[in-house]
Structure formats: C-alpha cells, structure tokens
Amino acid sequence: MEELNVTASLREGIGVKGALSKIRAEKNVPGVIYGSHKEPISITVSLKDVEKIIKAGKNTIVEVALPNGKEQVLVKEIQYHVVKDTPIHIDFQRVSLTDKMNVVVPVKLIGEAADVKSYGALVEHILREIEVKALVSAIPHEIEVDMTPMTINKGIVAGDIKLPKGVELVTDPQAPVAHLMIPKEEEAPAAAPAADAAAEPESSSTKGKKDEDGNLTKNAEAKK
C-alpha cells in the first residue's frame, strides 16, 4: 500500500474563539489523531498536505511527523465547508502495521456482460462499498469486480468477489453487489379527458453542523 509522509504541528488555543478561523486563513487545516488506547492529539496540517492525502485516495497510510515523534494513521473523516467545499477539518485514526483491522473499501465495476448488448439490459450497482479485514499494508484503495460473467438471471453477490491476498470479507457474502435489469417499455401518455362544457365550476373550498468558530460544515470519508 502507498504511504504518504506529512508534517503536522501541535494545535494550540483550543476552544479560543477565532482560533480555527485563523488557522484556516493561514492555509492550514485543524485535525485530531486518536485511537490505539492513547490520548487524542489536536494538530494542524497544511492545506497542501491535506489535498495531497485526498488525491492519494481512500485507505492510504499516512505517516504524520510531530515534534514529539511519528504516528502511523488512516484518514477516518474529512469535513468540508458547505459552500466552498474546501477541507476544514481532518480526523486521523492510529493504526498498527502488525494488527488486522476492519475497513470499508469502494467497489468498482469493470467489464461488460454479454446480456447488456443482447437484451439491452441495464446494470444496477447496488453495493458500492464492502467491509473487509486485513493488515493495514494489505488494504486496497478499491476492489475491482468483473461483470463479464453476469447474466439477467444471475447477478453478483459479495461472496463472488475475488479479494486480494490477505484480505478477508466481512460484509455478508449474500449481499447483492450488482445485477442486470431489462428496461420496461415506455407507455404512451394517457389522453387528457375532454372538457365538459356543462360541468359546474369547482367550489373555492374545493443540514450541517457548526464547529467551535460557528462555521457550518459537512462530513465525508477520505475521497478517492
């Protein structure tokens, strides 16, 4: 798995009005590192590094260099400005390179089933993420699922997915991932009823959350 290296500073002025706005005005992003039975650490990361993390995709290991040492982490959540859509807060979870952990991985459909052309079938992508268990170093950014063997009579379930070595399925094996649908013929619109000139006229009776600086935010997982 790809690993990124970023540098972070310990965040000061927690709870002080205007502190977060000042951090963001300086093109930095406030964040927190938590997990592994250790105390959470409030940090500040440059906006440039956060954008680099987002571009690297989901489930990328990030090594955060701090004044008192280094932390191996995964991104758990990123909050975005509701209007500008820029990252304004990032949450990291500590990870161990020797322990397996459960994570959610995006599912990408590839290939084309023959019945798509033969019957004009449409693909319905039902399950877009699956939960797996693996060492952090073995967690994939996404899992590709080949649709070629799929037919209108047989879809794909989670148990059909071929996982990389060292990756175990946690999602229910019978959970449907994708299937084919035959589109219904469009019906002609019904003719409007003729107006009855003698008919009597109808009777007249007949969101986001706010941070400590009061900024609205919206949440998302690490983007691909």
Side-chain angles (χ1 to χ4, degrees):
M1 171 181 277
E2 181 183 357
E3 179 175 316
L4 290 179
N5 298 281
V6 301
T7 301
S9 303
L10 297 178
R11 181 153 59 99
E12 300 178 353
I14 298 173
V16 176
K17 186 173 180 60
L20 294 182
S21 296
K22 184 175 183 295
I23 290 171
R24 293 162 186 153
E26 295 172 346
K27 295 193 179 300
N28 293 313
V29 179
V32 64
I33 297 176
Y34 63 87
S36 296
H37 308 290
K38 297 180 182 179
E39 287 295 317
I41 303 173
S42 295
I43 62 171
T44 299
V45 186
S46 72
L47 177 59
K48 184 177 179 180
D49 278 343
V50 172
E51 290 173 340
K52 184 169 64 174
I53 292 169
I54 294 170
K55 185 177 180 180
K58 194 169 185 177
N59 297 325
T60 297
I61 300 175
V62 182
E63 183 178 87
V64 181
L66 295 162
N68 56 352
K70 296 180 179 179
E71 297 271 10
Q72 299 281 344
V73 300
L74 287 177
V75 176
K76 292 303 292 182
E77 182 180 74
I78 300 176
Q79 295 178 10
Y80 293 85
H81 192 282
V82 292
V83 177
K84 300 177 181 178
D85 202 34
T86 52
I88 59 173
H89 195 279
I90 186 165
D91 290 359
F92 294 106
Q93 181 182 359
R94 295 183 182 96
V95 295
S96 168
L97 299 182
T98 58
D99 295 332
K100 290 187 175 182
M101 65 181 298
N102 289 17
V103 294
V104 174
V105 180
V107 172
K108 179 182 179 181
L109 300 180
I110 61 172
E112 183 179 61
D115 284 355
V116 169
K117 290 184 178 179
S118 300
Y119 298 97
L122 301 176
V123 178
E124 183 177 14
H125 192 176
I126 303 167
L127 194 63
R128 296 181 177 273
E129 294 180 327
I130 60 171
E131 186 176 3
V132 299
K133 184 175 182 179
L135 292 173
V136 173
S137 58
I139 298 172
H141 288 300
E142 63 182 12
I143 293 176
E144 294 185 343
V145 177
D146 184 11
M147 295 189 295
T148 304
M150 190 165 54
T151 69
I152 57 174
N153 297 315
K154 184 176 182 353
I156 296 173
V157 296
D160 296 330
I161 298 176
K162 184 178 181 181
L163 298 175
K165 184 178 180 180
V167 180
E168 306 167 27
L169 181 67
V170 176
T171 295
D172 180 359
Q174 296 305 313
V177 175
H179 65 230
L180 298 180
M181 301 184 302
I182 301 297
K184 296 180 180 179
E185 293 184 6
E186 294 185 6
E187 297 181 359
D196 187 352
E200 295 182 2
E202 294 184 4
S203 168
S204 59
S205 62
T206 339
K207 143 186 158 160
K209 63 181 179 179
K210 295 184 177 181
D211 62 23
E212 60 196 66
D213 275 357
N215 295 308
L216 287 173
T217 68
K218 61 181 179 178
N219 300 340
E221 290 184 355
K223 294 182 180 179
K224 290 184 180 182

